[in-house]
Amino acid sequence: MTDTIFQQIINKQAPANIRYEDEYCIAFDDINPKASIHILIVPKKPIKMLAECHSEDQHLLGHCLLVANTIAERLNRLDNYRLMINNGAKAGQEVFHLHVHFLSN
Ligand code: AMP
């Protein structure tokens, strides 16, 4: 099966403006921003969607939220951001590799 665009970005096989990276996740600018700052926080583990997460993913999910804080701090937005996860095509999910939208104006 072909890698998703996010897996290609994780593998450095597709370009992205990377804002943050560690062993568990990567964060980069959304190509079609819906706010002045629109960053996607993507776990490196290939999980399709939030509904496929289990208890073993608890640390990873919490980590992604704390990475949002790190990004917000770097951008001076600690008191001004929102997070969103689209779970499933009916909810608007287009890329089936779990990601958290970080939005701030
Ligand atoms: P979702 O609808 O929650 O699956 O969100 C997918 C997001 O990925 C959309 O906001 C797209 O604009 C964004 N996107 C798609 N391809 C790329 C890409 N190559 N680089 C950065 N963001 C992308």
Coordinates of all heavy atoms in Angstrom, one line a residue, residues 1-93:
M1 N 0.8 -1.2 0.0 CA 0.0 0.0 0.0 C 0.9 1.3 0.0 O 1.9 1.3 0.7 CB -0.9 0.0 1.2 CG -2.3 0.5 1.0 SD -3.3 0.4 2.4 CE -3.1 2.0 3.0
T2 N 0.5 2.3 -0.7 CA 1.3 3.5 -0.8 C 1.2 4.2 0.6 O 0.2 4.3 1.2 CB 0.7 4.5 -1.8 OG1 0.0 3.8 -2.8 CG2 1.7 5.3 -2.4
D3 N 2.4 4.8 0.9 CA 2.4 5.6 2.2 C 1.5 6.8 2.1 O 1.4 7.4 1.0 CB 3.8 6.1 2.4 CG 4.7 5.0 3.0 OD1 4.2 4.0 3.5 OD2 6.0 5.1 2.9
T4 N 0.9 7.3 3.2 CA 0.2 8.5 3.2 C 1.2 9.7 3.0 O 2.4 9.5 3.3 CB -0.6 8.8 4.5 OG1 0.4 8.9 5.5 CG2 -1.6 7.6 4.8
I5 N 0.7 10.8 2.7 CA 1.6 12.0 2.5 C 2.3 12.3 3.9 O 3.4 12.7 3.9 CB 0.8 13.2 2.0 CG1 1.8 14.4 1.8 CG2 -0.4 13.6 2.9 CD1 2.8 14.2 0.7
F6 N 1.6 12.0 5.0 CA 2.2 12.3 6.3 C 3.4 11.3 6.5 O 4.4 11.7 7.1 CB 1.2 12.3 7.4 CG 0.2 13.4 7.3 CD1 -0.9 13.5 8.2 CD2 0.4 14.5 6.4 CE1 -1.8 14.6 8.2 CE2 -0.6 15.5 6.3 CZ -1.6 15.5 7.2
Q7 N 3.1 10.0 6.1 CA 4.2 9.1 6.3 C 5.4 9.5 5.4 O 6.6 9.3 5.9 CB 3.7 7.7 5.9 CG 4.7 6.5 6.3 CD 5.0 6.5 7.8 OE1 4.0 6.3 8.6 NE2 6.2 6.5 8.2
Q8 N 5.1 10.0 4.3 CA 6.2 10.4 3.4 C 7.0 11.6 4.0 O 8.2 11.7 3.9 CB 5.7 10.8 2.0 CG 5.2 9.6 1.2 CD 4.5 10.1 -0.1 OE1 4.9 11.0 -0.7 NE2 3.4 9.4 -0.4
I9 N 6.3 12.5 4.7 CA 6.9 13.6 5.4 C 7.8 13.1 6.5 O 8.9 13.5 6.7 CB 5.9 14.7 5.8 CG1 5.3 15.4 4.6 CG2 6.5 15.7 6.8 CD1 4.1 16.3 4.9
I10 N 7.2 12.2 7.3 CA 8.0 11.5 8.4 C 9.2 10.9 7.9 O 10.3 11.1 8.5 CB 7.1 10.5 9.1 CG1 5.9 11.1 9.9 CG2 7.9 9.6 10.1 CD1 4.8 10.2 10.3
N11 N 9.1 10.2 6.7 CA 10.3 9.6 6.1 C 11.2 10.5 5.4 O 12.2 10.1 4.8 CB 9.8 8.5 5.1 CG 9.1 7.4 5.8 OD1 9.1 7.2 7.1 ND2 8.3 6.6 5.1
K12 N 10.9 11.8 5.4 CA 11.6 12.8 4.6 C 11.6 12.6 3.1 O 12.6 12.9 2.4 CB 13.1 13.0 5.2 CG 13.1 13.2 6.7 CD 12.7 14.6 7.1 CE 12.3 14.7 8.6 NZ 13.2 14.4 9.6
Q13 N 10.6 12.0 2.7 CA 10.4 11.7 1.2 C 9.5 12.7 0.6 O 9.3 12.7 -0.6 CB 9.9 10.3 1.0 CG 10.8 9.2 1.4 CD 10.2 7.9 1.6 OE1 9.0 7.8 1.7 NE2 11.0 6.8 1.5
A14 N 8.9 13.6 1.4 CA 8.1 14.7 0.9 C 8.4 15.9 1.7 O 8.8 15.8 2.8 CB 6.6 14.3 1.0
P15 N 8.3 17.1 1.0 CA 8.7 18.3 1.7 C 7.7 18.8 2.7 O 6.5 18.5 2.6 CB 8.9 19.4 0.6 CG 7.9 18.8 -0.5 CD 7.9 17.4 -0.3
A16 N 8.2 19.5 3.8 CA 7.3 20.1 4.7 C 8.1 21.2 5.5 O 9.3 21.0 5.6 CB 6.7 19.1 5.7
N17 N 7.4 22.2 6.0 CA 8.0 23.1 6.9 C 7.9 22.6 8.3 O 6.9 22.8 9.0 CB 7.4 24.5 6.7 CG 8.2 25.6 7.5 OD1 9.4 25.5 7.7 ND2 7.4 26.6 8.0
I18 N 9.0 21.9 8.8 CA 8.9 21.2 10.0 C 9.1 22.2 11.2 O 10.1 23.0 11.2 CB 10.0 20.1 10.1 CG1 9.6 19.0 9.0 CG2 10.0 19.4 11.5 CD1 10.6 18.0 8.8
R19 N 8.2 22.2 12.1 CA 8.3 23.1 13.3 C 8.8 22.4 14.5 O 9.3 23.1 15.4 CB 6.9 23.6 13.6 CG 6.2 24.3 12.5 CD 6.7 25.8 12.5 NE 5.7 26.6 11.8 CZ 5.6 27.9 12.0 NH1 6.4 28.5 12.9 NH2 4.8 28.6 11.3
Y20 N 8.7 21.1 14.6 CA 9.1 20.4 15.8 C 9.3 18.9 15.4 O 8.5 18.4 14.5 CB 8.0 20.5 16.9 CG 8.3 19.7 18.1 CD1 9.0 20.2 19.2 CD2 8.0 18.3 18.2 CE1 9.4 19.5 20.3 CE2 8.3 17.6 19.3 CZ 9.0 18.1 20.3 OH 9.3 17.4 21.4
E21 N 10.2 18.3 16.0 CA 10.3 16.8 15.8 C 11.0 16.2 17.0 O 12.0 16.7 17.5 CB 11.1 16.5 14.5 CG 11.3 15.1 14.2 CD 11.8 14.8 12.8 OE1 12.3 15.7 12.1 OE2 11.7 13.6 12.4
D22 N 10.6 15.0 17.4 CA 11.3 14.2 18.3 C 11.1 12.7 18.0 O 10.6 12.4 16.9 CB 10.9 14.5 19.8 CG 9.4 14.2 20.0 OD1 8.8 13.4 19.4 OD2 8.8 14.8 21.0
E23 N 11.4 11.8 18.8 CA 11.3 10.4 18.4 C 9.9 9.9 18.3 O 9.7 8.9 17.6 CB 12.1 9.5 19.4 CG 11.5 9.5 20.8 CD 12.3 8.5 21.7 OE1 12.4 7.3 21.4 OE2 12.8 9.0 22.7
Y24 N 8.9 10.6 18.9 CA 7.6 10.1 18.8 C 6.7 10.9 17.8 O 5.7 10.3 17.4 CB 6.9 10.3 20.2 CG 7.6 9.5 21.3 CD1 8.3 10.2 22.3 CD2 7.6 8.2 21.3 CE1 8.9 9.5 23.3 CE2 8.2 7.4 22.3 CZ 8.9 8.1 23.3 OH 9.5 7.4 24.3
C25 N 7.0 12.1 17.5 CA 6.1 12.8 16.6 C 6.8 13.9 15.8 O 8.0 14.2 16.1 CB 5.0 13.5 17.4 SG 5.5 14.8 18.4
I26 N 6.1 14.4 14.8 CA 6.7 15.5 14.0 C 5.5 16.5 13.8 O 4.4 16.1 13.9 CB 7.1 14.9 12.6 CG1 7.9 16.0 11.8 CG2 6.0 14.4 11.8 CD1 8.7 15.4 10.6
A27 N 5.9 17.8 13.7 CA 4.9 18.8 13.5 C 5.3 19.7 12.4 O 6.5 20.1 12.3 CB 4.7 19.6 14.8
F28 N 4.4 20.0 11.5 CA 4.8 20.9 10.3 C 3.6 21.7 9.9 O 2.4 21.4 10.3 CB 5.2 20.0 9.2 CG 4.3 18.8 8.9 CD1 3.2 19.0 8.0 CD2 4.5 17.6 9.4 CE1 2.4 17.9 7.7 CE2 3.7 16.5 9.2 CZ 2.6 16.7 8.3
D29 N 3.8 22.8 9.1 CA 2.8 23.6 8.7 C 1.8 22.9 7.8 O 2.2 22.2 6.9 CB 3.4 24.8 7.9 CG 4.1 25.8 8.8 OD1 3.7 25.9 10.0 OD2 5.0 26.5 8.3
D30 N 0.5 23.2 8.0 CA -0.5 22.7 7.1 C -0.4 23.4 5.8 O -0.2 24.7 5.7 CB -1.9 22.9 7.7 CG -3.0 22.2 7.0 OD1 -3.3 22.4 5.8 OD2 -3.6 21.3 7.6
I31 N -0.5 22.7 4.7 CA -0.3 23.3 3.3 C -1.5 24.2 3.0 O -1.3 25.0 2.1 CB -0.2 22.1 2.3 CG1 0.7 22.6 1.1 CG2 -1.5 21.5 1.9 CD1 1.1 21.4 0.2
N32 N -2.6 24.0 3.6 CA -3.8 24.8 3.3 C -4.3 25.4 4.6 O -5.4 25.0 5.1 CB -4.8 23.9 2.6 CG -6.0 24.7 2.2 OD1 -6.0 25.9 2.1 ND2 -7.1 24.0 2.0
P33 N -3.6 26.4 5.2 CA -3.9 26.9 6.5 C -5.3 27.5 6.7 O -5.8 28.2 5.9 CB -2.8 27.9 6.8 CG -2.3 28.3 5.5 CD -2.5 27.2 4.6
K34 N -6.0 27.1 7.8 CA -7.3 27.7 8.1 C -7.2 28.7 9.2 O -8.2 29.2 9.8 CB -8.2 26.5 8.6 CG -8.2 25.2 7.8 CD -8.9 25.3 6.5 CE -9.0 24.0 5.8 NZ -7.8 23.2 5.6
A35 N -6.0 29.1 9.6 CA -5.7 30.1 10.6 C -4.3 30.7 10.3 O -3.6 30.1 9.5 CB -5.8 29.6 12.0
S36 N -4.0 31.8 10.9 CA -2.7 32.4 10.7 C -1.6 31.4 11.0 O -0.5 31.4 10.3 CB -2.4 33.7 11.5 OG -3.5 34.3 11.9
I37 N -1.8 30.7 12.1 CA -0.8 29.6 12.4 C -1.6 28.3 12.3 O -2.6 28.1 13.0 CB -0.2 29.7 13.7 CG1 0.7 31.0 13.7 CG2 0.7 28.5 14.1 CD1 1.2 31.4 15.1
H38 N -1.3 27.4 11.5 CA -2.0 26.1 11.4 C -0.9 25.0 11.2 O -0.3 24.9 10.1 CB -2.9 26.1 10.2 CG -3.8 24.9 10.1 ND1 -4.9 24.8 9.2 CD2 -3.8 23.7 10.8 CE1 -5.5 23.6 9.4 NE2 -4.8 22.9 10.3
I39 N -0.7 24.3 12.3 CA 0.4 23.3 12.3 C -0.3 21.9 12.6 O -1.3 21.8 13.3 CB 1.4 23.6 13.4 CG1 2.1 24.9 13.1 CG2 2.4 22.5 13.7 CD1 2.9 25.5 14.2
L40 N 0.3 20.9 12.0 CA -0.2 19.5 12.2 C 0.8 18.8 13.1 O 2.0 18.8 12.7 CB -0.4 18.8 10.9 CG -1.4 19.5 9.9 CD1 -1.3 18.8 8.5 CD2 -2.8 19.5 10.4
I41 N 0.3 18.2 14.1 CA 1.1 17.4 15.0 C 0.8 15.9 14.7 O -0.3 15.5 14.9 CB 0.9 17.7 16.5 CG1 1.1 19.2 16.8 CG2 1.7 16.9 17.4 CD1 0.6 19.7 18.1
V42 N 1.8 15.2 14.3 CA 1.6 13.9 13.7 C 2.5 12.8 14.5 O 3.7 12.9 14.4 CB 2.0 13.9 12.2 CG1 1.7 12.5 11.6 CG2 1.2 15.0 11.5
P43 N 1.8 11.9 15.1 CA 2.6 10.8 15.7 C 3.3 10.0 14.7 O 2.8 9.8 13.6 CB 1.6 10.0 16.5 CG 0.3 10.4 16.0 CD 0.4 11.7 15.4
K44 N 4.6 9.6 14.9 CA 5.3 8.8 13.9 C 4.7 7.4 13.8 O 4.8 6.8 12.7 CB 6.8 8.8 14.2 CG 7.4 10.1 14.1 CD 8.9 10.1 14.3 CE 9.5 11.5 13.9 NZ 10.9 11.6 14.2
K45 N 4.1 6.9 14.8 CA 3.5 5.6 14.8 C 2.3 5.7 13.7 O 1.5 6.6 13.8 CB 2.9 5.2 16.1 CG 2.3 3.8 16.2 CD 1.9 3.5 17.6 CE 1.1 2.2 17.7 NZ 0.7 1.8 19.0
P46 N 2.2 4.7 12.8 CA 1.2 4.8 11.8 C -0.2 4.4 12.2 O -0.6 3.3 12.0 CB 1.7 3.9 10.6 CG 2.6 2.9 11.3 CD 3.2 3.6 12.6
I47 N -0.8 5.3 13.0 CA -2.2 5.0 13.5 C -3.1 5.8 12.5 O -2.9 7.0 12.2 CB -2.4 5.6 14.9 CG1 -1.4 5.0 15.9 CG2 -3.8 5.4 15.4 CD1 -1.3 5.7 17.2
K48 N -4.1 5.1 12.0 CA -5.0 5.7 11.0 C -5.8 6.9 11.5 O -6.0 7.9 10.9 CB -5.9 4.7 10.4 CG -5.2 3.8 9.4 CD -6.3 3.1 8.5 CE -5.6 2.1 7.5 NZ -5.1 0.9 8.1
M49 N -6.4 6.6 12.7 CA -7.3 7.6 13.3 C -7.5 7.4 14.8 O -7.1 6.4 15.3 CB -8.7 7.5 12.6 CG -9.3 6.1 12.7 SD -10.5 5.7 11.4 CE -11.9 6.7 11.9
L50 N -8.0 8.4 15.4 CA -8.1 8.4 16.9 C -8.8 7.1 17.4 O -8.4 6.5 18.4 CB -8.7 9.7 17.4 CG -8.7 9.8 18.9 CD1 -7.3 9.9 19.5 CD2 -9.5 11.1 19.3
A51 N -9.9 6.8 16.7 CA -10.7 5.6 17.1 C -9.9 4.3 17.1 O -10.4 3.3 17.6 CB -11.9 5.5 16.2
E52 N -8.7 4.3 16.4 CA -7.9 3.1 16.4 C -6.9 3.1 17.5 O -6.0 2.2 17.6 CB -7.2 2.9 15.1 CG -8.2 2.6 14.0 CD -7.6 2.1 12.7 OE1 -6.4 2.0 12.6 OE2 -8.4 1.8 11.8
C53 N -6.9 4.1 18.4 CA -6.0 4.1 19.5 C -6.5 3.2 20.7 O -7.7 3.1 20.9 CB -5.8 5.6 20.0 SG -4.9 6.6 18.9
H54 N -5.5 2.7 21.4 CA -5.8 1.8 22.5 C -5.0 2.3 23.7 O -4.2 3.3 23.6 CB -5.5 0.4 22.2 CG -6.3 -0.1 21.0 ND1 -7.7 -0.3 21.1 CD2 -6.0 -0.3 19.7 CE1 -8.1 -0.7 19.9 NE2 -7.1 -0.7 19.0
S55 N -5.1 1.6 24.8 CA -4.5 2.0 26.1 C -3.0 2.2 25.9 O -2.3 3.0 26.5 CB -4.8 1.1 27.2 OG -4.5 -0.2 26.9
E56 N -2.4 1.3 25.0 CA -0.9 1.4 24.8 C -0.5 2.7 24.1 O 0.7 3.1 24.1 CB -0.4 0.2 24.0 CG -0.8 0.1 22.6 CD -2.0 -0.8 22.4 OE1 -2.8 -1.0 23.3 OE2 -2.2 -1.2 21.2
D57 N -1.5 3.5 23.6 CA -1.2 4.7 22.9 C -1.4 5.9 23.8 O -1.2 7.1 23.4 CB -2.1 4.9 21.7 CG -1.9 3.8 20.7 OD1 -0.7 3.5 20.4 OD2 -2.8 3.2 20.2
Q58 N -1.7 5.7 25.1 CA -2.0 6.7 26.0 C -0.8 7.7 26.1 O -1.0 9.0 26.1 CB -2.3 6.1 27.4 CG -2.9 7.0 28.4 CD -3.4 6.2 29.6 OE1 -3.9 5.1 29.4 NE2 -3.3 6.8 30.8
H59 N 0.4 7.2 26.3 CA 1.5 8.1 26.4 C 1.7 8.9 25.2 O 2.0 10.1 25.2 CB 2.8 7.3 26.7 CG 4.0 8.1 26.8 ND1 4.8 8.3 25.7 CD2 4.6 8.8 27.9 CE1 5.8 9.1 26.1 NE2 5.7 9.4 27.4
L60 N 1.6 8.3 24.0 CA 1.8 9.0 22.7 C 0.8 10.1 22.6 O 1.1 11.2 22.1 CB 1.6 8.0 21.6 CG 1.9 8.5 20.2 CD1 3.3 9.0 20.0 CD2 1.6 7.4 19.2
L61 N -0.5 9.8 22.9 CA -1.5 10.9 22.8 C -1.3 12.0 23.7 O -1.4 13.2 23.3 CB -2.9 10.3 23.0 CG -3.4 9.2 22.0 CD1 -4.6 8.5 22.5 CD2 -3.5 9.9 20.6
G62 N -0.9 11.7 24.9 CA -0.6 12.8 25.9 C 0.6 13.6 25.4 O 0.7 14.8 25.5
H63 N 1.6 12.9 24.9 CA 2.8 13.5 24.4 C 2.4 14.6 23.3 O 3.0 15.7 23.3 CB 3.8 12.5 23.8 CG 5.0 13.0 23.3 ND1 6.0 13.5 24.2 CD2 5.5 13.2 22.1 CE1 7.0 14.0 23.5 NE2 6.8 13.8 22.2
C64 N 1.6 14.2 22.4 CA 1.2 15.1 21.3 C 0.6 16.4 21.9 O 0.8 17.5 21.3 CB 0.2 14.4 20.3 SG 1.0 13.2 19.3
L65 N -0.2 16.3 22.9 CA -0.8 17.5 23.5 C 0.3 18.3 24.2 O 0.2 19.6 24.1 CB -1.9 17.1 24.6 CG -3.1 16.3 24.0 CD1 -4.1 16.2 25.1 CD2 -3.7 17.0 22.8
L66 N 1.2 17.7 24.8 CA 2.3 18.5 25.4 C 3.2 19.1 24.4 O 3.7 20.2 24.6 CB 3.1 17.6 26.4 CG 2.4 17.1 27.6 CD1 3.2 16.2 28.5 CD2 1.8 18.3 28.4
V67 N 3.3 18.5 23.2 CA 4.1 19.1 22.1 C 3.3 20.3 21.6 O 4.0 21.3 21.3 CB 4.3 18.1 20.9 CG1 4.7 18.8 19.6 CG2 5.3 17.0 21.3
A68 N 2.0 20.3 21.7 CA 1.2 21.5 21.3 C 1.6 22.7 22.2 O 1.8 23.8 21.8 CB -0.3 21.2 21.4
N69 N 1.8 22.4 23.5 CA 2.3 23.4 24.5 C 3.6 23.9 24.1 O 3.9 25.1 24.2 CB 2.3 22.8 25.9 CG 1.0 23.1 26.6 OD1 0.2 23.9 26.2 ND2 0.9 22.4 27.8
T70 N 4.5 23.0 23.7 CA 5.9 23.4 23.4 C 5.9 24.3 22.2 O 6.5 25.4 22.1 CB 6.8 22.2 23.1 OG1 6.8 21.3 24.2 CG2 8.2 22.5 22.6
I71 N 5.1 24.0 21.2 CA 4.9 24.8 20.0 C 4.4 26.2 20.3 O 4.8 27.2 19.9 CB 4.1 24.1 18.9 CG1 4.8 22.8 18.4 CG2 3.7 25.0 17.8 CD1 4.0 21.9 17.5
A72 N 3.3 26.1 21.2 CA 2.6 27.4 21.6 C 3.6 28.3 22.3 O 3.7 29.5 22.1 CB 1.4 27.1 22.4
E73 N 4.4 27.7 23.1 CA 5.4 28.5 23.9 C 6.4 29.2 23.0 O 6.7 30.3 23.1 CB 6.1 27.6 24.9 CG 6.9 28.4 25.9 CD 7.4 27.4 27.1 OE1 7.5 26.2 26.8 OE2 7.7 28.0 28.1
R74 N 6.9 28.4 22.0 CA 7.9 28.9 21.0 C 7.3 30.0 20.2 O 8.0 30.9 19.8 CB 8.3 27.8 20.1 CG 9.2 26.8 20.7 CD 9.6 25.8 19.7 NE 10.4 24.7 20.2 CZ 10.9 23.7 19.6 NH1 10.5 23.5 18.3 NH2 11.6 22.8 20.2
L75 N 6.0 30.0 20.0 CA 5.3 31.0 19.1 C 4.6 32.1 19.9 O 3.9 32.9 19.4 CB 4.3 30.3 18.2 CG 4.9 29.2 17.2 CD1 3.8 28.5 16.5 CD2 5.8 29.9 16.2
N76 N 4.9 32.0 21.2 CA 4.2 33.0 22.1 C 2.7 32.9 22.1 O 2.0 34.0 22.0 CB 4.8 34.4 21.8 CG 4.6 35.4 22.9 OD1 4.5 34.9 24.1 ND2 4.6 36.7 22.6
R77 N 2.2 31.7 22.0 CA 0.7 31.5 21.9 C 0.2 30.7 23.0 O -0.9 30.0 22.9 CB 0.4 30.8 20.6 CG 0.6 31.7 19.3 CD -0.3 32.8 19.3 NE -0.5 33.4 18.0 CZ 0.4 34.1 17.3 NH1 1.6 34.4 17.9 NH2 0.2 34.7 16.2
L78 N 0.9 30.6 24.2 CA 0.4 29.7 25.2 C -1.0 30.0 25.7 O -1.7 29.1 26.2 CB 1.4 29.8 26.4 CG 2.5 28.7 26.5 CD1 3.4 28.9 27.7 CD2 1.9 27.3 26.4
D79 N -1.5 31.2 25.5 CA -2.8 31.5 26.0 C -3.8 31.7 24.8 O -4.8 32.3 24.9 CB -2.8 32.8 26.8 CG -2.4 34.0 26.1 OD1 -1.8 33.9 24.9 OD2 -2.5 35.1 26.6
N80 N -3.4 31.2 23.6 CA -4.2 31.4 22.4 C -4.0 30.4 21.3 O -3.4 30.6 20.3 CB -3.8 32.8 21.9 CG -4.5 33.2 20.6 OD1 -5.5 32.6 20.2 ND2 -4.0 34.1 19.8
Y81 N -4.5 29.2 21.6 CA -4.5 28.2 20.5 C -5.6 27.2 20.7 O -6.2 27.1 21.8 CB -3.2 27.5 20.4 CG -2.8 26.5 21.5 CD1 -3.3 25.2 21.4 CD2 -2.0 26.9 22.6 CE1 -3.0 24.3 22.4 CE2 -1.7 26.0 23.6 CZ -2.2 24.7 23.5 OH -1.9 23.8 24.5
R82 N -6.0 26.6 19.7 CA -7.0 25.5 19.8 C -6.5 24.3 19.0 O -5.7 24.4 18.1 CB -8.4 25.9 19.4 CG -8.6 26.2 17.9 CD -9.9 26.9 17.7 NE -10.0 27.5 16.4 CZ -10.5 26.8 15.3 NH1 -11.0 25.6 15.5 NH2 -10.5 27.3 14.1
L83 N -7.0 23.1 19.5 CA -6.6 21.8 18.9 C -7.8 21.1 18.3 O -8.9 21.3 18.8 CB -5.9 20.9 19.9 CG -4.7 21.5 20.6 CD1 -4.2 20.4 21.6 CD2 -3.6 21.8 19.6
M84 N -7.6 20.4 17.2 CA -8.8 19.7 16.6 C -8.3 18.4 16.0 O -7.2 18.3 15.5 CB -9.4 20.6 15.5 CG -10.6 20.0 14.9 SD -11.2 21.0 13.5 CE -9.9 20.8 12.3
I85 N -9.1 17.3 16.2 CA -8.8 16.1 15.5 C -10.0 15.7 14.8 O -11.1 15.6 15.4 CB -8.5 15.0 16.6 CG1 -7.2 15.3 17.3 CG2 -8.3 13.6 15.9 CD1 -6.9 14.3 18.5
N86 N -9.9 15.4 13.5 CA -11.0 14.9 12.7 C -10.9 13.4 12.7 O -9.8 12.8 12.3 CB -10.9 15.4 11.2 CG -11.2 16.9 11.1 OD1 -12.0 17.4 11.9 ND2 -10.5 17.6 10.3
N87 N -11.9 12.7 13.2 CA -11.9 11.2 13.3 C -12.9 10.6 12.3 O -14.1 10.7 12.5 CB -12.2 10.8 14.7 CG -12.1 9.3 14.8 OD1 -11.0 8.7 14.9 ND2 -13.3 8.6 14.9
G88 N -12.4 10.2 11.1 CA -13.2 9.5 10.2 C -13.6 10.4 9.0 O -13.7 11.7 9.2
A89 N -13.8 9.9 7.8 CA -14.2 10.6 6.7 C -15.4 11.5 6.9 O -15.5 12.6 6.4 CB -14.4 9.7 5.5
K90 N -16.4 10.9 7.6 CA -17.7 11.6 7.8 C -17.5 12.9 8.6 O -18.2 13.8 8.6 CB -18.7 10.7 8.5 CG -19.3 9.6 7.7 CD -20.3 8.9 8.5 CE -20.6 7.6 7.8 NZ -21.3 6.6 8.7
A91 N -16.4 12.9 9.4 CA -16.1 14.1 10.2 C -15.1 15.0 9.5 O -14.6 16.0 10.1 CB -15.5 13.6 11.6
G92 N -14.7 14.7 8.3 CA -13.9 15.6 7.5 C -12.4 15.1 7.5 O -11.6 15.8 6.9
Q93 N -12.1 13.9 8.0 CA -10.7 13.5 7.9 C -10.4 13.1 6.5 O -11.1 12.4 5.8 CB -10.5 12.2 8.8 CG -9.0 11.8 8.9 CD -8.8 10.7 9.9 OE1 -9.7 10.2 10.5 NE2 -7.5 10.3 10.0

